[in-house]
Amino acid sequence: MKKLIGLVLVMAMLLSAFAVASAEEKTYRIANLVKQIGSAWYQRQQLGLDAINEEYSNVDAFMVGPETADAALQVQMMEDLIAQGVDAIVVVPISVETLEPVCQKARDAGIVVISHEAAGMSGVDFDVEAFDNAAYGAYMMDNLAAAMGEEGQYATFVGYLTSKSHIEWMDAAVARQQEAYPNMELVADKIEDHDDTTTGYDKAVELIKTYPDLKGILGGSMSGTQGLGLAIDEMGVADKIAATGTCIPSVCAEYLESGALNCSSFWDPAGAGYATNKVALLALSGEGVTDGMDLGYSGYNAISLVDNVVYGADLITATADNMADYPF
């Protein structure tokens, strides 16, 4: 009997050790569903995923997304990821309202869901922001106002009217203008450029022709801001119209150099890629996310946690003088 009991104990210990080893060896598959696969922004963001994969041997972080920004395609791809049974999904939604139900469906299936550029979105475990969106909008307005001499007509652009972060930026920018720059006048608010350079260009040309006294433009999306720069450059109105927006230097360098864009503001997509996947891993492992935590990447070394929104401090501005400092 003693031998039998001993054998049972040994078997129990072996099974326990095997269970621990299996847990340690579990590979977490984290799918990153972005707005538009292959764009310069998400090519940079991929570097953050690469860093996560290199640092954690039990993580397989990968990126998917539609070839053209399309909310319906994002929903379809989200459904596919749920069917695959991935462990976590990091999503940058084109339309928050469209994605919320399928995000909740993923969570109901036991999948951790992290959003980016979507503070306040329901159906997610955490949202990760590079900074406070209202502060970013006010900051962009300060830059535009300075370039305009704090007076004159201006307009704002967004990628989509469903892009939650873009709407928050522009609402905050306009509020800042009304508070601090009373001699400026908003003549066109939240023009949709569909996060597309050609559309941004066409809408900017139309805007400039419609408002001959226009003195400033504030862009929301990267591709749309590139289109603004192209329009101002080609129309030869850089000395008359000030413009700034969200764009990385590799995309808008020529317009910073020509003066068509006075500056561009952004955050490092690689940092966002790392931080969102790190938060997903913390949620998967049960470690949790806490206020003041260091996520291990520049701009996210002392995060703020408000409800389920993680805020970093990764606000960057490029000009013709310093853009070489940001080779991406």
Side-chain angles (χ1 to χ4, degrees):
M1 180 63 72
K2 287 183 179 180
K3 288 184 178 180
L4 180 60
I5 293 173
L7 181 60
V8 169
L9 288 173
V10 170
M11 290 296 294
M13 291 173 64
L14 288 173
L15 288 171
S16 176
F18 177 77
V20 170
S22 297
E24 290 176 349
E25 293 169 3
K26 175 177 173 56
T27 296
Y28 294 114
R29 297 186 69 232
I30 305 176
N32 287 252
L33 177 57
V34 300
K35 292 180 180 180
Q36 185 174 2
I37 198 76
S39 73
W41 186 277
Y42 294 116
Q43 288 176 16
R44 175 70 182 182
Q45 191 156 313
Q46 177 65 49
L47 298 182
L49 277 62
D50 294 343
I52 282 284
N53 287 331
E54 183 175 348
E55 184 174 347
Y56 297 97
S57 60
N58 65 330
V59 172
D60 174 21
F62 61 96
M63 185 177 292
V64 297
E67 293 185 1
T68 57
D70 185 307
L73 287 177
Q74 275 197 315
V75 170
Q76 180 181 325
M77 298 186 84
M78 190 91 168
E79 294 279 9
D80 290 343
L81 293 169
I82 294 171
Q84 290 176 33
V86 297
D87 296 290
I89 300 173
V90 174
V91 60
V92 189
I94 296 168
S95 169
V96 167
E97 292 78 9
T98 302
L99 264 291
E100 281 177 333
V102 73
C103 284
Q104 186 57 57
K105 181 178 179 180
R107 292 186 73 203
D108 292 343
I111 298 171
V112 167
V113 181
I114 310 297
S115 60
H116 178 50
E117 297 185 52
M121 182 176 181
S122 67
V124 301
D125 293 271
F126 291 98
D127 175 79
V128 178
E129 301 294 317
F131 37 63
D132 176 82
N133 286 327
Y136 182 62
Y139 176 80
M140 286 201 295
M141 175 52 67
D142 288 340
N143 286 336
L144 182 66
M148 291 176 59
E150 300 184 9
E151 63 179 14
Q153 297 179 346
Y154 75 97
T156 67
F157 278 66
V158 295
Y160 292 90
L161 291 173
T162 56
S163 299
K164 186 173 177 59
S165 57
H166 294 191
I167 299 302
E168 290 179 351
W169 299 341
M170 295 312 159
D171 284 346
V174 172
R176 175 65 174 164
Q177 175 265 304
Q178 293 173 344
E179 170 195 12
Y181 310 110
N183 294 324
M184 292 174 60
E185 177 191 2
L186 178 65
V187 294
D189 191 24
K190 302 186 186 78
I191 299 170
E192 278 188 297
D193 57 43
H194 298 166
D195 211 345
D196 178 74
T197 301
T198 300
T199 305
Y201 169 84
D202 291 340
K203 294 285 184 75
V205 169
E206 180 183 356
L207 174 74
I208 293 168
K209 290 179 178 178
T210 303
Y211 297 95
D213 295 325
L214 191 72
K215 286 191 64 178
I217 307 175
L218 188 58
S221 75
M222 180 182 72
S223 296
T225 297
Q226 183 184 27
L228 297 180
L230 176 60
I232 290 171
D233 227 7
E234 287 197 353
M235 296 178 77
V237 293
D239 58 341
K240 178 186 175 184
I241 298 176
T244 183
T246 302
C247 199
I248 55 177
S250 64
V251 172
C252 66
E254 64 180 296
Y255 306 120
L256 292 172
E257 289 176 345
S258 71
L261 293 177
N262 296 81
C263 64
S264 69
S265 300
F266 53 98
W267 61 101
D268 185 351
Y274 184 95
T276 50
N277 283 266
K278 181 67 172 284
V279 169
L281 179 58
L282 290 168
L284 286 167
S285 65
E287 293 182 52
V289 181
T290 57
D291 187 53
M293 175 180 279
D294 182 357
L295 294 183
Y297 205 99
S298 177
Y300 302 87
N301 299 122
I303 62 168
S304 297
L305 180 63
V306 180
D307 297 324
N308 72 332
V309 182
V310 174
Y311 293 101
D314 195 27
L315 175 54
I316 306 170
T317 294
T319 65
D321 295 327
N322 74 350
M323 63 180 179
D325 296 336
Y326 309 105
F328 57 86

